Amino acid sequence: MPLARFLRSLLLFLFFIVYTVPYAIACFIAFPFLNADRRYWMAVGWCRSTLFVARHLNGIRYRIEGMEHLPNGPAVLLSKHQSAWETVAFPAIMPRPLCYVFKRELLYVPFFGWALGMLKMVHIDRKEGKYAFASVVKQGRKRMSDGAWVIMFPEGTRTQVGSQGKYKTGGARFAIDAGAPVVPIAHNAGHVWPRNSFIKFAGTVTVSIGKPIESAGLTPDELNSRVEAWIETEMRRIDPDAYRDTDISGASLRVAKRADAARS
């Protein structure tokens, strides 16, 4: 079994090498003749192909709970971040275009960054200093007015299964400044596609989508704490064994409860 798992992981790695470069070249050729919406969905074709191959080659499946909670309007999606799986999967499973917020430096990564630059995403130019966040809000508002959703990972970096990273307030600040609700998302993709791991494991990823949290009237800390409390509580429901010996930040729960009380 370990040898078979290694060989399947190796084949997936080779798939990325063999498939990604020609797909990116095809995008470069086609994009000048397509509008922004068609460019996006063409790029999403790579994501869907990857999910298809990962399912049949590596046994990685997924199921979604709470699709009915997705709003019919602007939204900021704030998700748990455990692996690269969700970065690939979310564009393929969401009904609207997603705009990732990323560092401008990624635009210079061969093929991946070049294709990313031809899509309507939101990039951060740290050279702008204190004006960088205002630029992100401006870009995000424009993307949402075009019908897209902005997505961020409040923990910033991928976390190990069963762990809880520090939730940064950037996503909450963005939602408040943009006047958009937040949709929290929990998932356990780290079991099948662990961070910094070459080996992939068969299994089913559960993606749980929460009800929108209105940002109006909340401070960034209050909104962020409500998001953290929902995601981490939900993580312990969908993956109880991984969190058997861990607790949610008491401070986050207290702030979330105070925000709920103030709004009721």
Side-chain angles (χ1 to χ4, degrees):
M1 181 64 70
L3 178 59
R5 186 181 298 128
F6 172 81
L7 292 175
R8 291 176 183 275
S9 299
L10 177 61
L11 288 174
L12 182 65
F13 177 74
L14 294 176
F15 161 78
F16 285 137
I17 295 176
V18 173
Y19 185 64
T20 301
V21 173
Y23 200 99
I25 293 174
C27 288
F28 297 148
I29 295 172
F31 277 8
F33 306 100
L34 303 176
N35 60 31
D37 190 59
R38 292 190 175 184
R39 288 181 183 180
Y40 176 84
W41 292 114
M42 181 177 180
V44 168
W46 180 89
C47 299
R48 290 172 174 165
S49 299
T50 299
L51 292 184
F52 177 86
V53 172
R55 175 175 181 172
H56 293 280
L57 179 62
N58 306 91
I60 298 176
R61 293 171 168 79
Y62 64 89
R63 65 188 188 92
I64 308 172
E65 301 176 359
M67 281 290 283
E68 70 277 8
H69 295 153
L70 293 171
N72 185 25
V76 177
L77 278 52
L78 297 184
S79 170
K80 186 72 176 176
H81 198 18
Q82 284 191 340
S83 76
W85 182 89
E86 59 267 23
T87 308
V88 173
F90 284 174
I93 65 180
M94 292 296 173
R96 288 192 179 208
L98 298 184
C99 288
Y100 283 92
V101 179
F102 63 92
K103 294 181 293 185
R104 185 178 178 84
E105 289 78 8
L106 289 179
L107 294 174
Y108 305 110
V109 176
F111 296 106
F112 173 79
W114 300 340
L116 196 63
M118 300 179 77
L119 301 172
K120 284 191 172 182
M121 297 291 170
V122 177
H123 61 263
I124 302 173
D125 187 353
R126 301 189 185 280
K127 293 180 180 179
E128 294 182 344
K130 63 180 181 180
Y131 301 106
F133 186 76
S135 175
V136 168
V137 173
K138 181 179 179 180
Q139 293 176 67
R141 282 176 173 168
K142 179 64 171 64
R143 304 296 182 262
M144 288 191 290
S145 69
D146 292 336
W149 290 328
V150 173
I151 181 168
M152 298 184 190
F153 300 109
E155 290 170 292
T157 187
R158 290 170 291 178
T159 60
Q160 292 182 343
V161 170
S163 66
Q164 177 179 343
K166 178 177 175 56
Y167 279 63
K168 300 176 178 63
T169 61
R173 287 176 57 206
F174 174 85
I176 291 171
D177 286 3
V182 166
V183 177
I185 301 175
H187 66 83
N188 57 352
H191 284 289
V192 300
W193 198 309
R195 67 169 192 166
N196 303 325
S197 174
F198 176 79
I199 302 299
K200 308 300 183 291
F201 299 85
T204 300
V205 179
T206 297
V207 179
S208 180
I209 302 172
K211 294 180 180 179
I213 302 173
E214 293 297 332
S215 60
L218 295 179
T219 67
D221 284 337
E222 288 172 338
L223 179 56
N224 191 56
S225 293
R226 291 188 66 183
V227 169
E228 178 181 0
W230 188 91
I231 290 177
E232 293 302 327
T233 299
E234 189 67 2
M235 288 302 299
R236 285 151 179 80
R237 183 186 73 82
I238 66 176
D239 196 6
D241 290 340
Y243 292 87
R244 193 172 301 279
D245 299 322
T246 63
D247 296 318
I248 306 171
S249 166
S252 294
L253 287 175
R254 288 194 297 272
V255 173
K257 289 178 179 179
R258 285 201 299 269
D260 286 335
R263 293 171 63 86
S264 62

